[in-house]
Amino acid sequence: MDLFELILNRRSVRKYTGESVSEAALNRILAAGLLAPTGKNKKPCEFYLVRDKELLKELSAAKKAGGAMLADCDAAIAVLADPEVSDTWIEDSSIALSYMQLMAAESGVGSCWCQMRLRSSAEGKDAEANVRAVVDAPPRYRVVGVLALGIPAEQPKPRTERDADFSKVFEL
């Protein structure tokens, strides 16, 4: 599959079979995040691989809505960044999450990016603080998102080239 075909086929997956994601696939997904480009190659991101079911359940409650799939996934990768290392931590984390999603799709693993930055829990607590508490990260670290991973229970239809909305492109 070429890269464009992979982009068309990559879809957010929120339902998983319960089967385990192989160590080889997890390592490739993590390597994709670790190899993602960062501003000035400062590499401010750290990756917390969570497989413990109780911790996954805690992560699923880190924000009010949109994180339920974390309770049922096989593994999750919380992407945290140290803003003292680089002022491009948001962009760097986002690129790493995107690379990992593409590698997950290429590996036959379903994924869904669960945004944590600027979100709060049902109790009104900061979602980033909740994630930091679950993974025991330093308080200065920031959290863009958590990537849910699992073997897909269903595969959403791929996009087509016609789905690319070129009305959003302005040629100057």
Side-chain angles (χ1 to χ4, degrees), residues 77-158:
I77 301 171
V79 179
L80 285 77
D82 186 343
E84 294 177 15
V85 171
S86 176
D87 65 350
T88 60
W89 64 270
I90 295 171
E91 294 87 347
D92 297 341
S93 297
S94 298
I95 294 167
L97 280 157
S98 295
Y99 270 46
M100 290 190 296
Q101 278 197 298
L102 289 171
M103 184 55 71
E106 198 272 334
S107 302
V109 175
S111 70
C112 189
W113 176 338
C114 184
Q115 180 184 349
M116 294 295 170
R117 194 175 78 79
L118 304 177
R119 298 296 182 258
S120 59
S121 69
E123 298 79 30
K125 294 182 182 175
D126 178 60
E128 289 186 61
N130 293 337
V131 172
R132 281 192 302 272
V134 171
V135 301
D136 195 27
R140 74 176 182 274
Y141 279 34
R142 299 295 307 270
V143 186
V144 168
V146 178
L147 188 63
L149 299 165
I151 305 303
E154 54 192 39
Q155 188 60 48
K157 283 188 342 185

Side-chain angles (χ1 to χ4, degrees), residues 7-8 10 14 18-19 30 38 41 52 61-63 93 97 100 109-110 118-119 126 130 132 134 137 157 165 170:
I7 290 168
L8 292 173
R10 193 229 53 88
R14 294 176 178 83
E19 296 172 66
L30 285 162
T38 61
N41 202 31
D52 179 272
K63 70 177 198 168
S93 297
L97 280 157
M100 290 190 296
V109 175
L118 304 177
R119 298 296 182 258
D126 178 60
N130 293 337
R132 281 192 302 272
V134 171
K157 283 188 342 185
D165 183 0
F170 302 92

Side-chain angles (χ1 to χ4, degrees), residues 51-73:
R51 298 202 78 178
D52 179 272
K53 289 297 182 189
E54 282 304 310
L55 294 179
L56 290 169
K57 186 174 179 182
E58 288 180 42
L59 283 175
S60 75
K63 70 177 198 168
K64 188 182 327 187
M69 74 288 206
L70 290 164
D72 298 320
C73 67

